[in-house]
Amino acid sequence: MILNGVMNYARFLTAVSSARKPSPIRMLTELQQRSPPSLISLAGGAPNPNTFPFQSASIQLKDGKMVTFDETAMKRALQYSASNGIPELLTWMKNLQKDLHNPPTISYSPEEGQMDMCVTTGSQEGLCKVFEMLVNPGDNVLLDAPTYSGTLAALQPLGCNLINIPSDHHGMIPAALKETLSRWDPLEVHKPGSTAPKILYTIPNGGNPTGASMTTERKKDVYELAQQYDMLIIEDDPYYFLQFEKPWAPTFLSMDVDGRIIRTDSFSKILSSGLRLGFVTGPKPLVDHVVLHIQASTMHTSTFTQLMVSQLLHSWGQKGFLQHIDGVIEFYRKQRDAMICSADKWLKDVAEWHTPSAGMFLWMKLKGIADTQQLIMEKALEKEVLLVPGGVFMINSSDPCPYVRAAFSLSTPEQIDEAFRRLSLLIKDAL
């Protein structure tokens, strides 16, 4: 158990990740980017941007303003950049994280777990690299039940043992987590050969697929258990900015006095999913290893994408960014309310659900239906309505599951209403 002390991050790093060393080519590239214009470099292997066919670009925003790239900016946008992200975007995002979460680790030394960040190609890349850094074959990994299918797809090839922690409409249940952890003695978690879990994964807001959001009290309880068993918590929070009620609940990052939180954020739900822009925030020793992994794989997130978003954020300022978020929230709140209205109209006798307080999903249990796989993937398709059967969000997707996930992000209220009308008929026929 570590309280306000220096954590031993080495025990969390896999042999493969720990053995990674900075790429000499990437080091030269980043050194050159930090050097004065007077430097004459014959070292870098970057292509000459004068040979690229693109000269300039202008992108019009919905408010009429422009994001522009002149010839000089375009040459930079089309060139290699630092693996951890372009400096101006990182600085903006670090200031945002400080203002939103006020992490205690901001003032720590790097060795103590000082908060650091890096840019990733969507939060999914960040998650995958964090998992590959931390998880060894045979490790026990704790996660919400049910959980995001992309997380399962990333973890299962690593050969770890996935242990589900039951959840309800308020997220992971601390009592269930405590019961699961009682299999291990917290005083023995550091002993060689201990099988105690090292990491816990959770989506704390608007969980995919359940729409569940964890309360402040539950987060505190979960964090205390993580302290007791010296676990890292992976706080996967792509729906943080889609919380419908204010004030927003404090994050795990805001509670992190030990430097045991690795947080992933995404711009996919609020700026663009196609731009593929995400962030990893966490203790510097661990973020540094994620950056090494990026150097050896994707090298860096698109420089053009980063510069475009950075220019947008700097023109907005933090106030303008949060005003944009308010507009996004209002849209999704109306979409959610439309779906709940249609569910009350058509499904209240054949299904049960809790109204989500964040995200873009409604998680429904169909009454009297033991498994929704055939109903959704065959019969519903015949009636031209599509939802996601709940089994795909379970560790063993072949187990019977009475749940379905409905997304309210894209369809119009009229389409949602018609889809639920058709679904209600299908359920009644099946019963």
Side-chain angles (χ1 to χ4, degrees), residues 51 59 65 70 101 120 151 173 247 253 268 275 315 398 407 422 425 427-428:
T51 66
I59 301 166
K65 296 179 180 179
D70 60 19
H101 310 291
T120 57
T151 296
I173 302 171
L253 185 65
S268 292
L275 288 178
S315 69
S398 62
R422 297 179 190 180
L425 295 176
I427 297 172
K428 290 173 182 177

Side-chain angles (χ1 to χ4, degrees), residues 174-211:
L177 174 61
K178 185 175 183 178
E179 181 179 352
T180 298
L181 287 171
S182 66
R183 307 177 199 174
W184 296 275
D185 184 342
L187 299 177
E188 297 182 355
V189 297
H190 296 109
K191 290 186 177 180
S194 172
T195 61
K198 294 184 294 185
I199 64 171
L200 179 150
Y201 168 88
T202 186
I203 304 175
N205 294 298
N208 183 359
T210 64

Side-chain angles (χ1 to χ4, degrees), residues 126-419:
L127 276 178
C128 287
K129 285 177 167 43
V130 167
F131 290 146
E132 290 167 5
M133 171 179 69
L134 297 174
V135 179
N136 283 311
D139 281 358
N140 290 314
V141 176
L142 307 177
L143 68 169
D144 298 295
T147 199
Y148 171 47
S149 56
T151 296
L152 297 176
L155 282 170
Q156 286 168 336
L158 300 180
C160 56
N161 304 314
L162 301 181
I163 301 176
N164 272 341
I165 306 300
S167 62
D168 57 21
H169 61 289
H170 292 307
M172 184 177 289
I173 302 171
L177 174 61
K178 185 175 183 178
E179 181 179 352
T180 298
L181 287 171
S182 66
R183 307 177 199 174
W184 296 275
D185 184 342
L187 299 177
E188 297 182 355
V189 297
H190 296 109
K191 290 186 177 180
S194 172
T195 61
K198 294 184 294 185
I199 64 171
L200 179 150
Y201 168 88
T202 186
I203 304 175
N205 294 298
N208 183 359
T210 64
S213 294
M214 201 180 297
T215 63
T216 302
E217 292 72 22
R218 286 196 178 185
K219 287 177 183 174
K220 290 178 179 178
D221 291 343
V222 168
Y223 190 86
E224 288 176 2
L225 286 167
Q227 289 179 309
Q228 185 178 352
Y229 287 86
D230 197 20
M231 295 186 297
L232 295 174
I233 297 176
I234 300 175
E235 183 178 28
D236 183 17
D237 212 355
Y239 305 100
Y240 174 77
F241 292 110
L242 295 186
Q243 297 182 69
F244 303 131
E245 307 299 333
K246 291 185 178 180
W248 293 343
T251 59
F252 280 112
L253 185 65
S254 71
M255 305 175 182
D256 189 21
V257 295
D258 297 339
R260 64 175 69 254
I261 302 300
I262 303 179
R263 177 180 172 84
T264 59
D265 285 282
S266 174
F267 278 164
S268 292
K269 314 301 185 290
I270 53 176
L271 292 183
S272 163
S273 52
L275 288 178
R276 308 307 303 134
L277 203 56
F279 301 87
V280 170
T281 305
K284 181 171 175 54
L286 299 183
V287 173
D288 284 348
H289 275 75
V290 172
V291 175
L292 290 178
H293 196 345
I294 293 171
Q295 285 183 356
S297 55
T298 54
M299 296 179 68
H300 61 79
T301 298
S302 164
T303 314
F304 187 94
T305 291
Q306 293 186 68
L307 283 169
M308 181 172 70
V309 171
S310 178
Q311 193 178 143
L312 172 67
L313 295 177
H314 279 88
S315 69
W316 273 349
Q318 198 174 111
K319 181 179 179 182
F321 171 73
L322 294 176
Q323 286 175 343
H324 168 74
I325 295 301
D326 287 341
V328 175
I329 290 172
E330 182 60 25
F331 170 82
Y332 282 109
R333 182 190 290 114
K334 290 179 179 178
Q335 290 289 104
R336 176 205 63 178
D337 292 347
M339 178 165 280
I340 295 300
C341 181
S342 293
D344 286 334
K345 177 180 177 183
W346 297 109
L347 301 174
K348 63 182 179 180
D349 295 329
V350 292
E352 55 189 45
W353 60 87
H354 293 282
T355 301
S357 59
M360 52 180 63
F361 304 114
L362 181 64
W363 183 243
M364 297 183 291
K365 181 179 182 181
L366 306 189
K367 299 177 181 178
I369 305 293
D371 186 27
T372 58
Q373 179 71 22
Q374 183 180 17
L375 177 72
I376 297 302
M377 300 308 294
E378 296 179 16
K379 297 181 180 180
L381 273 179
E382 292 174 1
K383 299 298 182 181
E384 298 185 333
V385 59
L386 184 61
L387 297 89
V388 183
V392 304
F393 305 103
M394 306 298 178
I395 292 176
N396 188 348
S397 59
S398 62
D399 286 346
C401 178
Y403 288 88
V404 295
R405 191 197 74 179
F408 49 79
S409 54
L410 285 175
S411 301
T412 65
E414 293 76 18
Q415 289 173 324
I416 291 171
D417 192 69
E418 174 60 18

Side-chain angles (χ1 to χ4, degrees), residues 51-165:
T51 66
F52 299 159
F54 310 98
Q55 183 165 332
S56 63
S58 296
I59 301 166
Q60 185 172 356
L61 304 177
K62 289 181 177 179
D63 63 4
K65 296 179 180 179
M66 304 293 290
V67 173
T68 60
F69 291 82
D70 60 19
E71 188 171 349
T72 300
M74 184 61 97
K75 285 181 179 179
R76 182 188 174 200
L78 299 177
Q79 190 56 276
Y80 294 129
S81 58
S83 294
N84 63 332
I86 62 171
E88 56 265 53
L89 180 58
L90 274 175
T91 298
W92 201 96
M93 283 303 302
K94 283 182 180 179
N95 288 333
L96 181 68
Q97 295 292 63
K98 292 175 186 177
D99 292 340
L100 290 178
H101 310 291
N102 191 26
T105 53
I106 279 291
S107 59
Y108 290 12
S109 70
E111 295 76 21
E112 292 173 323
Q114 179 187 66
M115 189 204 91
D116 200 6
M117 293 184 70
C118 69
V119 180
T120 57
T121 306
S123 61
Q124 184 69 24
E125 184 197 28
L127 276 178
C128 287
K129 285 177 167 43
V130 167
F131 290 146
E132 290 167 5
M133 171 179 69
L134 297 174
V135 179
N136 283 311
D139 281 358
N140 290 314
V141 176
L142 307 177
L143 68 169
D144 298 295
T147 199
Y148 171 47
S149 56
T151 296
L152 297 176
L155 282 170
Q156 286 168 336
L158 300 180
C160 56
N161 304 314
L162 301 181
I163 301 176
N164 272 341
I165 306 300

